[in-house]
Amino acid sequence: MAKLRAGQRALVIGAAGGVGTFAVQIAKAFGAEVTGVCSTSKVDLVRSIGADQVIDYTREDFTDGTRRWDVIVDTAGRRPVRVLSARSPGAERWRSWGAKAEATGPAASSDRS
């Protein structure tokens, strides 16, 4: 998953979905501190799969600029990359939806061919 290393901070948007649940668990396996974003009804699920923090997007704005992440995985694809980029400068961002996937950020342009 990206260039994630132990101790880095990862944000998984859509953490309760099919891709998001895998992303949370993979990030934890790499030793990251994981924050999962989901709706109220899925908070317990996201905690149970290993997220260190869970943000209920119906109650809290995680793009408010008060927190930073090293890797952002956006499985929902509902927020423009520029919005997330402004909140976590230099973060590597992964977006997936349907059959498409997109990587942006420092690592996305460095060693992928």
Side-chain angles (χ1 to χ4, degrees):
M1 172 184 278
K3 289 189 173 187
L4 190 60
R5 294 181 304 278
Q8 287 188 307
R9 298 182 59 172
L11 175 70
V12 180
I13 304 167
V19 174
T21 56
F22 282 108
V24 169
Q25 294 173 79
I26 292 168
K28 286 302 295 178
F30 275 93
E33 179 185 328
V34 179
T35 301
V37 179
C38 61
S39 65
T40 307
S41 64
K42 304 295 183 183
V43 168
D44 290 336
L45 168 71
V46 174
R47 272 200 193 98
S48 75
I49 60 172
D52 297 292
Q53 292 91 35
V54 181
I55 297 172
D56 176 350
Y57 68 79
T58 68
R59 298 172 186 235
E60 188 176 350
D61 178 12
F62 61 92
T63 65
D64 64 4
T66 61
R67 291 167 281 215
R68 302 279 187 228
W69 294 277
D70 300 300
V71 173
I72 299 170
V73 179
D74 182 8
T75 68
R78 293 190 181 128
R79 286 164 185 81
V81 171
R82 64 178 169 70
V83 171
L84 298 175
S85 300
R87 302 303 180 214
S88 290
E92 182 169 355
R93 295 161 299 281
W94 288 83
R95 299 175 78 178
S96 76
W97 57 95
K100 294 183 174 185
E102 167 186 51
T104 60
S109 59
S110 62
D111 61 348
R112 292 193 193 358
S113 50

